[in-house]
Amino acid sequence: MTDLTDIRALDAADPLAHFRDRFDLPEGVIYLDGNSLGALPREAKKRIADVVSREWGQDLIRSWNTNHWIEAPRRVGSKIAQLIGAKAAEVIATDSTSINVFKALSAAIDLNPDRPLILSETGNFPTDAYMMEGLSRLTGGRVEQKLVAPTDIPSALTEDVAVLLLTHTNYKSGRLHDMAALTKAAQAKGILVIWDLSHSAGAMPVDLNGCNVDFAVGCGYKYMNGGPGAPAFVFVAERHQNQVFPALSGWMGHANPFDFTDDYEPAAGIDRFLCGTPGILGLAGLECGVDLMLEADMAVIRNKSLALSQLFIDLVEANCPDVNLVSPRTPELRGSQISFAHERGYSVMQALIARGIIGDFRAPNVLRFGFTPLYTRFEDVWIAAMALSDIIRTGEWENEKYALRAAVT
Ligand SMILES: *Cc1c(COP(=O)(O)O)cnc(C)c1O
């Protein structure tokens, strides 16, 4: 299907098409990077302005009570829970994903104190392994990190492993792990399991409790459209919550923070995974993104995501020389992004961005395109694939201005 009339018919029949208007998208831009920074919901623009001018400006400190600021991490967490197959009281929106990885890891090694290894995979988004390394040093080497190739995970699940930390959707290739099978295999060996859902939450149905997951973390500013640096979330299965003494035992996770006692007493339940004062502006943006997502059916989002990405693969492979698919060819094995390798991927992506078609580049040679069904049209996919074809066929990317590396790729 390469005829534009057919493609417009797909948009006309799309049950999610009306969501596009709920975003404040720039004219003339095709945005295929919502997997890295989600677009701006119109509601978030209004809501954040209101939080700034009225709640902060006028109501000032009274807002912690009157505008329910103090409840925001719990309230937003309970909404995120609906997107990831968790109970309302198992998720809290707080801190960054990196910090939540640390909290989950430190909790897990505490629950499994006699085992020396924390296991993960090579080729993951680096912060997860970096946090493992920091924790290992902090424990004076009591736990050590072990990284194996993703395909070697099953054979590395041995009885000296305390915790397995995996990312559900790989950031670079979009490859999915089998959450149910790996969780089960690890738990059969007494290993606790942490899933990083950064590229899955808001992109596809996730069923943490259906998979009996122990801990999970994820990102608020990618598919959930929470805004730049939006708070992340942490999921802790109910059965573990009161067993854990938080490593980051900040006052907001205290049972009674406003008693100002000298000793730390963890709050009951998920609240003990709070640390310091929540960022209210960030939570306001995140809540709008999550509310919008909750209006749509995640199964419908997943169907459209797979249809958009398949169309992109078909069009690129039929029209663009010199690129190779990096993402799995089987739709069920990938997330909501498609990656192609090109020898000069950085320059090719800069040439695309110069035409208003925004994807991103991941070293050393990967062109990455995210498909966000709430605001991406089938026609956008067609235009992007044709532009990519044109840029490669004409050598437009060879202009030296496209070779200059920016700080953020
Ligand atoms: C994006 C991403 C993160 C982001 O971590 P921050 O602390 O928000 O910078 C973490 N893990 C994975 C797998 C990611 O893709």
Side-chain angles (χ1 to χ4, degrees):
M1 192 180 335
T2 48
D3 182 294
L4 193 50
T5 319
D6 294 337
I7 283 166
R8 287 186 175 146
L10 293 175
D11 283 319
D14 171 15
L16 298 175
H18 64 282
F19 280 103
R20 186 175 162 84
D21 252 1
R22 308 280 297 278
F23 290 88
D24 196 342
L25 295 161
E27 278 299 314
V29 164
I30 291 178
Y31 193 60
L32 302 178
D33 213 0
N35 54 322
S36 208
L37 173 64
L40 168 63
R42 291 191 194 281
E43 188 60 31
K45 202 170 167 176
K46 285 206 307 230
R47 175 85 187 113
I48 292 170
D50 186 52
V51 174
V52 169
S53 59
R54 185 177 56 83
E55 297 189 2
W56 179 13
Q58 301 303 309
D59 298 347
L60 289 162
I61 201 164
R62 293 168 289 190
S63 286
W64 286 106
N65 295 311
T66 58
N67 291 310
H68 308 287
W69 285 358
I70 198 71
E71 294 149 29
R74 271 296 282 273
R75 187 176 65 245
V76 179
S78 70
K79 291 178 179 183
I80 293 171
Q82 298 174 47
L83 297 171
I84 57 177
K87 294 181 201 162
E90 290 178 315
V91 181
I92 199 151
T94 179
D95 298 319
S96 64
T97 305
S98 302
I99 289 176
N100 289 331
V101 164
F102 185 87
K103 292 182 199 166
L105 275 173
S106 53
I109 63 166
D110 223 23
L111 293 173
N112 228 348
D114 301 324
R115 297 180 174 211
L117 293 179
I118 47 181
L119 178 67
S120 192
E121 61 194 318
T122 53
N124 191 5
F125 187 80
T127 206
D128 297 47
Y130 297 168
M131 296 313 277
M132 291 171 94
E133 196 174 334
L135 183 65
S136 170
R137 292 178 70 102
L138 191 68
T139 64
R142 181 184 82 66
V143 294
E144 273 188 47
Q145 101 238 54
K146 178 175 175 183
L147 303 181
V148 303
T151 46
D152 292 338
I153 292 285
S155 59
L157 299 172
T158 51
E159 282 170 7
D160 47 359
V161 176
V163 50
L164 170 67
L165 166 62
L166 290 176
T167 295
H168 186 227
T169 307
N170 183 270
Y171 79 106
K172 201 184 283 190
S173 67
R175 187 265 303 122
L176 278 183
H177 272 308
D178 185 339
M179 179 182 289
L182 284 166
T183 303
K184 195 165 174 219
Q187 289 175 342
K189 295 285 166 92
I191 300 167
L192 290 161
V193 183
I194 306 171
W195 286 99
D196 185 333
L197 303 176
S198 290
H199 285 273
S200 301
M204 68 190 76
V206 172
D207 190 5
L208 291 177
N209 282 330
C211 298
N212 194 44
V213 169
D214 298 293
F215 297 89
V217 299
C219 197
Y221 53 79
K222 291 172 178 161
Y223 291 95
M224 291 202 284
N225 305 309
F233 64 86
V234 57
F235 157 91
V236 181
E238 211 164 32
R239 61 186 178 277
H240 296 314
Q241 290 176 359
N242 292 334
Q243 315 303 318
V244 168
F245 189 96
L248 301 181
S249 40
W251 77 299
M252 278 288 156
H254 192 279
N256 300 294
F258 290 90
D259 283 358
F260 296 102
T261 56
D262 286 337
D263 297 322
Y264 178 79
E265 183 197 331
I270 193 72
D271 285 0
R272 70 178 60 187
F273 294 89
L274 280 176
C275 184
T277 305
I280 295 301
L281 297 179
L283 281 163
L286 176 60
E287 188 162 20
C288 296
V290 173
D291 281 342
L292 191 49
M293 193 123 255
L294 285 172
E295 285 182 39
D297 180 329
M298 196 50 80
V300 177
I301 290 181
R302 176 65 169 161
N303 279 341
K304 183 178 171 190
S305 148
L306 292 179
L308 291 167
S309 26
Q310 192 58 50
L311 177 65
F312 189 67
I313 293 177
D314 293 346
L315 291 171
V316 170
E317 293 198 325
N319 295 285
C320 304
D322 308 332
V323 294
N324 290 304
L325 183 66
V326 172
S327 303
R329 210 167 269 288
T330 311
E332 297 73 40
L333 297 184
R334 57 178 194 252
S336 199
Q337 65 173 75
I338 295 298
S339 303
F340 281 99
H342 182 281
E343 207 186 348
R344 297 291 301 280
Y346 184 78
S347 299
V348 171
M349 184 50 76
Q350 297 319 300
L352 261 179
I353 293 171
R355 288 185 179 209
I357 298 166
I358 303 180
D360 63 21
F361 167 78
R362 286 293 174 264
N365 62 354
V366 172
L367 298 159
R368 195 173 70 150
F369 301 89
F371 298 95
T372 41
L374 294 186
Y375 54 87
T376 305
R377 296 170 298 202
F378 289 93
E379 184 168 348
D380 297 332
V381 169
W382 189 86
I383 295 169
M386 293 308 142
L388 181 62
S389 165
D390 198 48
I391 285 165
I392 293 175
R393 285 177 190 279
T394 61
E396 187 172 314
W397 59 269
E398 288 170 35
N399 187 320
E400 63 189 32
K401 71 181 173 194
Y402 298 136
L404 210 63
R405 282 287 174 109
V408 176
T409 63

